[in-house]
């Protein structure tokens, strides 16, 4: 008897689901344009059954079950006092509506109900989540609960992330022919080290070519991503929140839902995959919350650190406004007793010594200059040297009688404690209600060690409590923008983005490092949510020195800002800052709505390029960065995809290094005078690359003629 067949279709991709005893994805890939029958779909892919193994076919279902002979990683692990440890779910209901399929299954013996939801939207982003409900009269302990998606055998290469503080979103490739790939994070937040995402495809997939399946787990805590190769060659992806021992226990009638796994398929390489995710973020996650232009920032941190003088900060604001800054943020150091990073976190009261007249005058001054005002907080953390710590030692996220190590001289607060969450909300609400604050920079500067609530493991609960605190604040102050900053890139994911507006990609403002960090982040996030600042000439994190040209061009391709002291800046540099701020504002409508293409360059070891093309293909902004010395004496050809192949375009150089002509006899002709070529020529033939010094960049504008 044939299984029932269900399909979900996007603009370019399609998912075919077979439902019999279990739900199995038969196909997830390029959209099929010719009809097929349910019978043919089932019979065409009915597998052989090899000798010497089980006598029945075992599908790789959406929830692999040991009870059905799935010997790989199961979708659910748990037990009821040692019993019901191998549940066998039987499908009882399948509902399809619009772009969504919901599959309900039950195990009557274990009294467990499993609901799997699949949604494939018009932007070709698949969302997978599962809910487990305990409808019995006994508790059920959940050890693991994973989303599972099978992938075709040809998907044999993984592009994954690694990194650390000030070096986030680094990428590496792994070929998988046997066993598999696994990546875990146990640091209590999304983490700098292992961003919860990966990309799979046929070996050799590139920015513009090849089949790619991208996957991101929208979760801000401990997580596991894995790709398994079964002994029969089949492959599957699993993504899950990583639970600590004993922390998930379902009382009768309680349920738990997995974080959402977001996936997208592209047969046009990584750029096609990214465009799907970018459009989903823009339309399904951000929506009207970022309808207004993203304001250019100036953040005070690297300008003054903890040295707060309100008169001087007002001078900084005046100079910032003259440069063209639209949002002025006062960073760490404004609250009671905060003179370095060893004390005062938790004491969210204005420092009367630094601000004897309060902060209202400073806020008014910023607004009178035509800028928005932002303020830094780190609500979840507490220093040992603080009034709050001395009064409420029991508020720590910790296990009694254990002395856990500090991180950045601080501990985490137990947000699941109602008194803690009430205190933090009251303090945040006080400032947002009392003062005209437009923006909150929400930081989280430490990793979580031994997260205990009432001495029980509580990593999962801490993340949910964080979501609830932010949600409560957003509900009361919906017009306040929030940035997620966790020592830079430590808490960046789609679940956080549902309740915030911007990410601080990294504490590293070194433009050379930022080129790689921003590239890695761009696979899943569009430019308008990626905080990208022009830092000081001498980088505070790497001690390297870079020209303003490289720093300015690098910061253009995100949500732009400055991280410096404009009072101490020379008039020449102020003019340069004003130039790049003006450029960003001019091109912001394109950068924050267009399609991002990471360019394939001939000397990939030494060069990097990005183009953002208008949705109507009328223009594009392109940057070329020379990361290191060229491998050869010539740099190859620059090809730019995404434009209308039949139309004629003009190429203009907007910005280039001051000494670019000093290192060669001559540069390509188009560097001296505009050239006109078709979109087809740009995509297929290209233009000669300039010769550039290491750590320099060129900015191009491409405009439709006629």
């Amino acid at each position: 008897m044939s299984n029932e067949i269900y399909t979900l279709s996007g603009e370019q991709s399609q998912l075919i689901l077979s439902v019999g005893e279990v739900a199995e994805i038969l196909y997830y890939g390029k959209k099929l344009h010719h009809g097929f029958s349910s019978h043919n779909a089932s019979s065409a892919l009915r597998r052989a059954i090899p000798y010497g193994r089980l006598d029945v076919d075992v599908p790789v279902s959406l929830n692999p079950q040991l009870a059905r002979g799935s010997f790989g990683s199961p979708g659910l692990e748990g037990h009821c006092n040692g019993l019901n440890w191998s549940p066998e779910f039987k499908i009882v209901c399948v509902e399809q509506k619009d772009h969504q399929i919901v599959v309900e299954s039950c195990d009557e013996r274990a009294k467990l109900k499993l609901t799997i939801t699949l949604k494939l939207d018009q932007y070709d982003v698949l969302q997978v989540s599962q809910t487990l409900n305990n409808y019995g009269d006994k508790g059920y302990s959940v050890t693991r609960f994973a989303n599972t998606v099978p992938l075709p055998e040809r998907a044999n290469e993984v592009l994954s992330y690694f990194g650390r503080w000030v070096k986030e979103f680094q990428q590496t490739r792994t070929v998988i022919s046997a066993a598999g790939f696994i990546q875990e994070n146990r640091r209590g937040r999304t983490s700098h080290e292992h961003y919860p995402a990966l990309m799979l495809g046929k070996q050799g997939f590139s920015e513009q070519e090849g089949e790619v399946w991208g996957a991101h787990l929208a979760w801000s805590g401990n997580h596991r991503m894995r790709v398994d190769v079964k002994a029969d060659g089949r492959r599957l992806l699993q993504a899950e929140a990583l639970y600590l021992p004993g922390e998930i226990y379902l009382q009768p009638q309680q349920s738990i839902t997995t974080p959402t796994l977001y996936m997208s398929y592209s047969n046009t390489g990584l750029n096609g995959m990214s465009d799907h995710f970018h459009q989903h973020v823009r339309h399904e996650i951000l929506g009207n919350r970022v309808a207004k232009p993203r304001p250019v920032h100036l953040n005070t941190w690297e300008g003054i650190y903890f040295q707060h003088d309100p008169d001087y900060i007002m001078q900084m604001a005046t100079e910032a406004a003259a440069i063209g800054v639209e949002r002025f943020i006062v960073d760490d150091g404004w609250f009671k007793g905060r003179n370095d990073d060893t004390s005062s976190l938790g004491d969210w009261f204005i420092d009367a010594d630094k601000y004897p007249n309060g902060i209202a005058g400073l806020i008014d001054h910023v607004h009178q200059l035509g800028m928005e005002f932002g303020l830094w907080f780190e609500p979840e953390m507490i220093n040992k040297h603080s009034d709050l710590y001395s009064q409420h030692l029991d508020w720590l996220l910790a296990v009694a009688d254990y002395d856990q190590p500090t991180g950045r001289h601080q501990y985490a607060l137990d947000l699941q404690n109602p008194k803690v969450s009430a205190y933090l909300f009251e303090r945040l609400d006080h400032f947002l209600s009392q003062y005209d604050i437009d923006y909150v920079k929400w930081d989280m500067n430490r990793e979580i060690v031994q997260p205990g609530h009432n001495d029980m493991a509580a990593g999962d609960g801490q993340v949910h409590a964080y979501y609830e605190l932010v949600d409560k604040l957003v509900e009361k102050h919906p017009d306040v923008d929030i940035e997620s900053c966790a020592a830079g890139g430590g808490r960046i994911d789609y679940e956080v983005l549902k309740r915030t507006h911007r990410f601080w990609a990294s504490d590293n403002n070194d433009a050379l490092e930022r080129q790689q960090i921003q590239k890695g982040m761009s696979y899943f996030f569009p430019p308008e949510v990626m905080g990208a600042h022009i830092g000081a000439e001498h980088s505070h994190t790497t001690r390297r020195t870079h020209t303003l040209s490289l720093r300015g061009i690098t910061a253009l391709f995100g949500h732009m800002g400055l991280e410096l002291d404009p009072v101490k800046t020379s008039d020449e540099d102020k003019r340069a800052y004003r130039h790049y701020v003006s450029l960003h504002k001019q091109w912001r409508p394109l950068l924050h709505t267009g399609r991002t293409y990471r360019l394939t360059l001939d000397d990939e070891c030494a060069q990097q390029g990005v183009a953002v093309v208008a949705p109507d293909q009328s223009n594009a902004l392109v940057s070329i960065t020379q990361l290191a010395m060229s491998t050869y004496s010539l740099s190859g050809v620059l090809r730019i995809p995404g434009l209308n192949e039949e139309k004629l375009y003009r190429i203009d150089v907007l910005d280039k290094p001051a000494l670019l002509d000093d290192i060669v006899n001559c540069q390509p002709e188009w560097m001296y005078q505009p050239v006109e070529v078709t979109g087809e020529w740009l995509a297929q033939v290209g233009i000669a690359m300039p010769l550039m010094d290491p750590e320099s960049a060129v900015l191009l504008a491409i405009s439709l003629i006629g």
Side-chain angles (χ1 to χ4, degrees):
M1 181 177 178
S2 297
N3 292 350
E4 289 190 68
I5 299 296
Y6 298 83
T7 64
L8 292 172
S9 298
E11 290 293 318
Q12 301 174 30
S13 63
Q14 190 168 45
L15 184 147
I16 301 174
L17 186 71
S18 174
V19 179
E21 289 190 354
V22 297
E24 177 187 15
I25 295 177
L26 293 182
Y27 174 82
Y28 176 35
K30 183 179 179 181
K31 188 174 183 178
L32 305 177
H33 294 285
H34 303 285
F36 59 89
S37 68
S38 296
H39 172 73
N40 290 338
S42 294
S43 60
L45 291 177
R46 188 166 293 132
R47 289 173 289 270
I49 300 176
Y51 185 71
R53 309 196 66 175
L54 295 180
D55 297 328
V56 296
D57 178 56
V58 180
V60 178
S61 71
L62 290 172
N63 190 276
Q65 299 162 41
L66 179 61
R68 294 185 179 277
S70 179
F71 296 114
S73 174
L76 172 67
E77 293 183 12
H79 64 91
C80 175
N81 294 324
L83 303 176
N84 300 325
W85 52 272
S86 180
E88 181 184 60
F89 290 99
K90 295 183 178 180
I91 292 175
V92 296
C93 179
V94 181
E95 293 184 357
Q96 180 168 12
K97 183 178 181 181
D98 300 328
H99 297 282
Q100 181 171 284
I101 298 173
V102 179
V103 181
E104 292 188 359
S105 307
C106 286
D107 184 327
E108 290 293 345
R109 289 158 294 190
K111 304 299 181 184
L112 296 174
K113 175 182 175 182
L114 179 68
T115 303
I116 302 174
T117 302
L118 303 169
K119 181 178 180 181
L120 181 61
D121 67 20
Q122 60 183 312
Y123 308 107
D124 291 284
V125 171
L126 174 68
Q127 299 171 60
V128 185
S129 64
Q130 304 192 33
T131 298
L132 182 71
N133 178 265
N134 174 20
Y135 65 90
D137 56 6
K138 298 178 181 178
Y140 192 83
S141 180
V142 178
T143 306
R144 290 185 55 244
F145 192 24
N147 289 306
T148 304
V149 175
L151 293 168
E153 286 82 350
R154 62 186 181 275
N156 65 344
E157 185 174 32
V158 176
L159 175 59
S160 60
Y161 288 100
F162 70 99
R164 60 178 174 84
W165 176 66
V166 301
K167 199 173 179 66
E168 298 85 349
F169 288 105
Q170 306 300 300
Q171 305 113 56
T172 185
R173 288 181 181 248
T174 306
V175 176
I176 51 168
S177 56
F181 170 90
I182 189 167
Q183 179 173 284
E184 292 185 353
N185 164 54
R186 298 174 182 268
R187 296 175 182 267
R189 58 185 180 187
T190 320
S191 92
H192 301 79
E193 289 72 18
H194 295 304
Y195 172 67
L198 49 80
M199 293 141 276
L200 302 99
K202 187 174 181 180
Q203 187 175 356
F205 64 86
S206 64
E207 298 293 355
Q208 294 173 216
E209 297 179 345
E211 286 189 297
V212 180
W213 290 263
H216 164 55
L217 185 69
W219 178 241
S220 310
N222 298 333
H223 53 79
R224 178 188 287 124
M225 304 283 290
R226 66 186 295 164
V227 180
D228 287 334
V229 180
K230 297 173 68 68
D232 57 25
R234 287 182 291 172
R235 287 157 166 77
L236 60 89
L237 164 74
Q238 283 192 330
E240 61 192 285
L242 191 61
Y243 303 134
L244 296 171
E247 74 173 315
I248 305 299
Y249 186 80
L250 300 182
Q251 297 287 354
Q253 309 309 315
Q254 282 188 337
S255 64
I256 184 174
T257 299
T258 66
T260 300
L261 170 63
Y262 289 79
M263 295 191 66
S264 185
Y265 165 82
S266 166
N267 67 340
T268 56
L270 292 161
N271 282 330
M273 177 208 75
S274 288
D275 187 56
H276 298 160
F277 282 121
H278 288 190
Q279 297 309 317
H280 176 86
V281 167
R282 285 168 170 164
H283 298 284
E284 298 295 321
I285 294 180
L286 295 175
N288 291 328
R289 290 192 293 123
V290 294
K292 71 175 184 179
R294 300 289 81 208
V296 174
H297 283 200
L298 187 137
N299 192 57
T300 63
W301 177 242
E302 289 191 0
I304 58 171
Y305 292 104
F306 296 104
Q307 306 304 311
H308 283 232
D309 175 345
D311 292 333
Y312 189 81
I313 292 174
M314 283 192 277
Q315 292 181 50
M316 293 177 70
T318 300
E319 295 294 341
I323 291 170
V325 169
E326 298 163 306
R327 179 183 281 160
F328 186 86
I329 300 100
V330 174
D331 208 290
D332 194 359
W334 58 267
F335 52 97
K336 183 180 178 182
R338 184 68 163 177
N339 297 311
D340 56 37
D341 66 355
T342 67
S343 73
S344 305
L345 282 176
D347 297 341
W348 300 109
F349 301 87
I350 295 169
D351 191 315
D353 293 331
K354 294 179 181 179
Y355 293 89
N357 298 316
I359 62 170
L362 170 58
I363 296 173
D364 289 343
H365 177 72
V366 170
H367 285 148
Q368 288 165 8
L369 291 167
M371 297 185 294
E372 296 182 4
F373 179 83
L375 195 59
W376 179 93
F377 291 88
E378 192 173 4
E380 298 153 82
M381 300 301 160
I382 183 172
N383 287 122
K384 192 170 185 177
H385 300 296
S386 67
D387 293 344
L388 190 68
Y389 184 92
S390 63
Q391 296 166 6
H392 296 288
L393 179 60
D394 58 321
W395 283 12
L396 267 59
L397 184 71
V399 177
D401 300 325
Y402 284 86
D403 186 17
Q404 62 168 281
T406 56
R408 301 277 286 259
H409 307 290
Q410 58 198 49
Y411 297 100
L413 289 166
D414 179 7
L415 301 186
Q416 296 163 92
N417 182 330
K419 294 180 180 179
V420 173
S421 58
Y423 168 76
L424 294 178
F425 177 78
E426 184 278 327
R427 287 288 80 207
L428 289 162
D429 178 55
H430 164 80
F431 281 97
L432 298 185
S433 300
Q434 184 78 19
Y435 303 101
D436 191 5
I437 295 173
D438 307 284
Y439 177 85
V440 168
K441 181 177 179 181
W442 188 306
D443 214 338
M444 181 201 184
N445 275 309
R446 72 152 290 170
E447 296 153 328
I448 303 299
V449 178
Q450 206 179 34
H453 172 66
N454 295 333
D455 288 340
M456 300 290 289
D460 179 82
Q462 180 76 2
V463 176
H464 283 291
Y466 158 71
Y467 292 156
E468 291 169 7
L469 178 60
V470 181
D471 287 342
K472 187 176 179 181
L473 196 69
V474 169
E475 183 179 8
K476 187 166 183 183
H477 302 280
D479 296 327
V480 175
D481 277 16
I482 299 176
E483 174 182 272
S484 176
C485 172
R491 187 156 61 190
I492 295 177
D493 61 78
Y494 285 178
E495 196 62 37
V496 171
L497 190 56
K498 291 176 183 178
R499 39 191 55 86
T500 58
H501 304 77
R502 181 186 198 260
F503 293 117
W504 184 226
S506 176
D507 282 345
N508 193 342
N509 286 312
D510 179 307
L512 188 64
E513 298 295 338
R514 271 294 185 137
Q515 284 282 331
Q516 296 295 349
I517 292 167
Q518 292 175 194
K519 175 186 177 181
M521 187 173 173
S522 74
Y523 285 108
F524 290 89
F525 295 94
E528 60 266 33
V529 302
M530 180 169 59
H533 290 188
I534 303 175
E537 180 181 17
H538 187 67
S539 170
H540 291 215
T541 52
T542 66
R543 308 298 187 243
R544 261 195 301 246
T545 298
H546 286 128
T547 65
L548 226 168
S549 172
L550 177 64
R551 289 179 283 140
I553 291 174
T554 300
L556 276 175
F557 287 80
H559 181 176
M560 190 180 188
L562 308 173
E563 193 90 11
L564 44 83
D565 181 357
V567 176
K568 295 178 180 177
T569 301
S570 68
D571 290 341
E572 180 182 359
D573 280 353
K574 286 176 187 175
R575 286 191 293 270
Y577 292 138
R578 193 177 301 114
H579 164 71
Y580 290 107
V581 168
S582 178
L583 263 181
H584 180 76
K585 290 179 180 178
Q586 176 187 348
W587 290 94
R588 180 167 54 191
L590 165 65
L591 290 168
H592 294 176
T593 62
R595 293 188 169 181
T596 298
Y597 293 87
R598 291 168 300 275
L599 304 180
T600 300
L601 302 180
D602 295 328
D603 192 359
E604 290 187 339
C605 294
Q607 301 163 343
Q608 185 166 293
V610 61
V612 181
V613 179
D616 64 1
Q617 300 177 305
S618 61
N619 60 351
L621 191 67
V622 181
S623 75
I624 313 162
T625 303
Q626 190 74 32
L627 304 173
M629 282 288 290
S630 295
T631 305
Y632 311 103
S633 58
L634 292 176
S635 297
V637 175
L638 173 67
R639 289 175 294 275
I640 304 168
L643 296 161
N644 189 317
E645 293 193 350
E646 299 178 359
K647 300 294 185 179
L648 193 64
Y649 292 89
R650 169 185 167 122
I651 302 174
D652 291 282
V653 179
L654 295 182
D655 198 88
K656 62 182 181 179
L659 302 178
L660 186 64
D661 292 335
D662 291 3
I663 63 170
V664 297
N665 287 327
C666 70
Q667 294 286 4
E669 187 173 334
W670 62 265
M671 292 290 294
Y672 303 108
Q673 58 185 21
V675 65
E676 297 177 1
V677 291
T678 64
E680 181 184 41
W681 183 278
L682 281 170
Q684 302 300 327
V685 183
I687 57 177
M689 281 279 288
L691 297 176
M692 301 164 61
D693 282 324
E695 303 179 22
S696 65
V698 169
L699 185 69
L700 312 179
I702 300 178
S703 307
L704 183 65
I705 298 174

